[in-house]
Amino acid sequence: SKLTISGKNSNHSLVYSRLHSDGYRENNSSNRHNFTWTSAITRNRTLINLLATYTNMFAYIPSSIDWKTFQEAPQKAATNWAATKGYEDYDRFYGGISVQQSLSKNWQFRISTFGHLNRNDELRPFNILQEKNHFLGFRSTLEKTYRSTRATLRLIAGNEFFSENYQWQTFQNKNREQGNLLSDNEELRGYNNFFLSADWNWMEKLSVSASLNYNQTHYNYYDHFLTDGNQSGKHRFNPAVSPRLAANWTVSPATRLFAVVSHGFSPPSLEETLMPNGQRNKSIKPETGWNFELGTKAKVGKSIYAEVSAYYMKVKNLLVARRTADDAYM
């Protein structure tokens, strides 16, 4: 169902949806409710966008089965998950607001802030997991556009900040009731991105884009379950600098050529920096890589469109998970 309210300078929308499934497999039913609110408000040179969404979900978990069971009875749930009637129950809220302000002499300023609240309970054969997390972030950009009779140049400078608090505990599963505490953890994680970009377009035939991003990521880990020792500590990764250069050339109205050279990175999550025994792996590093791509887009005749591209990617410190137990990875 949807409710829409429109005014002279504003539009608002509320959408509600419900999804229910009995599931094909055993222990597989689920029920989800979702509410989403969006607003767009315009005042002179100011544009305000608002987004808020709330989700309530309860779903039983059939988990994975072996190959023989999959061939003979794929509707079956994993024996241990079916026995304990394992499930996931969560409430999640996301919200964000963005303000765009047009200034004089082709200047434009944008700022947005966003947040998230989450509560999750999961009943599993080997334990009961309880999670809570919330985060807050903001992003701001300042943009300047230069125009001439033949070319357009757009310059952008900005910053993005993100901070999250994540808490998780595990308890003994005693006949689907919460037993003794097994672990109690808290993590503070955050990053800063500073970026610059320039987009140049010449007569709608040649466009070149160049950008540079600087990232600093850190994790602070607190071990509140001290029976097996205190594993608390900080993990700060070296700053990552990522450039990007792309070009697009219109050879003819039906054919375009493009090329991209870019650098990327992906820091491991705190869970990935922990060993199965809870100790921190201080030697783990972010994934980094270079991507090289070359291609063409063309229209053949009136009804055929083709795109062909080739790329080469070189990655260092690739993160690969290895499962060591039901709920343990390295």
Side-chain angles (χ1 to χ4, degrees):
S1 57
K2 181 178 181 179
L3 172 66
T4 301
I5 303 174
S6 298
K8 182 178 180 180
N9 298 308
S10 63
N11 290 287
H12 311 277
S13 175
L14 175 64
V15 178
Y16 166 73
S17 61
R18 177 178 181 266
L19 175 65
H20 173 78
S21 172
D22 290 328
Y24 168 73
R25 301 175 61 194
E26 296 176 348
N27 202 59
N28 196 196
S29 65
S30 63
N31 199 46
R32 184 177 69 185
H33 301 270
N34 193 81
F35 296 86
T36 302
W37 175 269
T38 59
S39 293
I41 304 171
T42 305
R43 290 289 187 274
N44 298 323
R45 294 185 174 184
T46 304
L47 173 62
I48 302 174
N49 287 294
L50 175 67
L51 169 67
T53 179
Y54 167 75
T55 302
N56 172 264
M57 175 77 170
F58 185 95
Y60 288 98
I61 304 174
S63 195
S64 56
I65 52 179
D66 58 32
W67 177 247
K68 182 179 180 180
T69 305
F70 175 75
Q71 290 181 308
E72 298 177 354
Q75 75 279 6
K76 292 288 186 179
T79 303
N80 54 348
W81 283 86
T84 197
K85 297 181 180 179
Y87 65 80
E88 182 178 20
D89 179 16
Y90 67 75
D91 293 280
R92 294 176 182 173
F93 172 80
Y94 295 90
I97 183 170
S98 173
V99 180
Q100 176 180 313
Q101 180 68 51
S102 297
L103 306 174
S104 60
K105 298 182 179 180
N106 293 323
W107 285 90
Q108 194 169 82
F109 177 70
R110 295 186 182 92
I111 186 170
S112 60
T113 183
F114 49 91
H116 163 74
L117 296 172
N118 176 64
R119 175 208 60 83
N120 179 61
D121 294 329
E122 188 172 325
L123 177 67
R124 310 186 288 189
F126 34 86
N127 60 35
I128 295 175
L129 171 67
Q130 293 184 353
E131 297 175 296
K132 293 180 181 178
N133 74 304
H134 59 270
F135 67 70
L136 181 66
F138 80 88
R139 178 184 176 92
S140 60
T141 61
L142 183 62
E143 179 181 325
K144 170 67 172 178
T145 302
Y146 297 92
R147 293 186 175 90
S148 67
T149 55
R150 293 193 172 190
T152 302
L153 175 63
R154 186 178 63 165
L155 303 176
I156 300 175
N159 170 244
E160 185 177 64
F161 169 79
F162 175 89
S163 179
E164 179 180 23
N165 177 274
Y166 174 45
Q167 303 173 34
W168 73 101
Q169 296 82 34
T170 58
F171 301 85
Q172 289 179 331
N173 179 358
K174 292 189 173 182
N175 295 322
R176 307 186 83 242
E177 296 292 333
Q178 182 174 301
N180 296 330
L181 181 68
L182 299 176
S183 66
D184 189 356
N185 309 274
E186 181 179 6
E187 174 195 356
L188 300 177
R189 50 190 171 193
Y191 66 76
N192 254 312
N193 275 330
F194 298 93
F195 52 91
L196 298 169
S197 70
D199 299 317
W200 179 72
N201 186 291
W202 180 72
M203 297 182 63
E204 302 298 328
K205 290 182 176 294
L206 176 64
S207 61
V208 179
S209 175
S211 59
L212 185 69
N213 186 83
Y214 172 92
N215 173 275
Q216 177 67 73
T217 299
H218 67 274
Y219 303 131
N220 293 344
Y221 171 56
Y222 302 96
D223 183 0
H224 300 303
F225 186 74
L226 305 180
T227 302
D228 56 353
N230 187 358
Q231 305 298 333
S232 300
K234 299 180 179 180
H235 206 106
R236 181 176 293 272
F237 300 105
N238 293 329
V241 179
S242 298
R244 180 181 184 272
L245 180 64
N248 192 313
W249 179 34
T250 302
V251 180
S252 69
T255 307
R256 289 188 295 165
L257 300 175
F258 63 89
V260 180
V261 178
S262 62
H263 178 271
F265 71 98
S266 177
S269 66
L270 179 106
E271 293 85 348
E272 290 173 325
T273 67
L274 297 178
M275 306 291 279
N277 59 7
Q279 295 183 345
R280 290 181 301 118
N281 181 357
K282 298 180 181 180
S283 64
I284 199 169
K285 299 177 181 179
E287 293 179 328
T288 59
W290 283 94
N291 181 65
F292 305 87
E293 186 171 357
L294 183 67
T296 181
K297 299 178 181 180
K299 186 177 182 181
V300 183
K302 295 183 178 180
S303 59
I304 299 177
Y305 176 82
E307 179 175 341
V308 179
S309 63
Y311 71 91
Y312 171 73
M313 183 179 292
K314 184 176 182 180
V315 181
K316 293 178 62 179
N317 302 315
L318 185 66
L319 299 175
V320 181
R322 177 162 61 91
R323 187 168 184 166
T324 60
D326 283 338
D327 191 35
Y329 297 85
M330 180 180 296

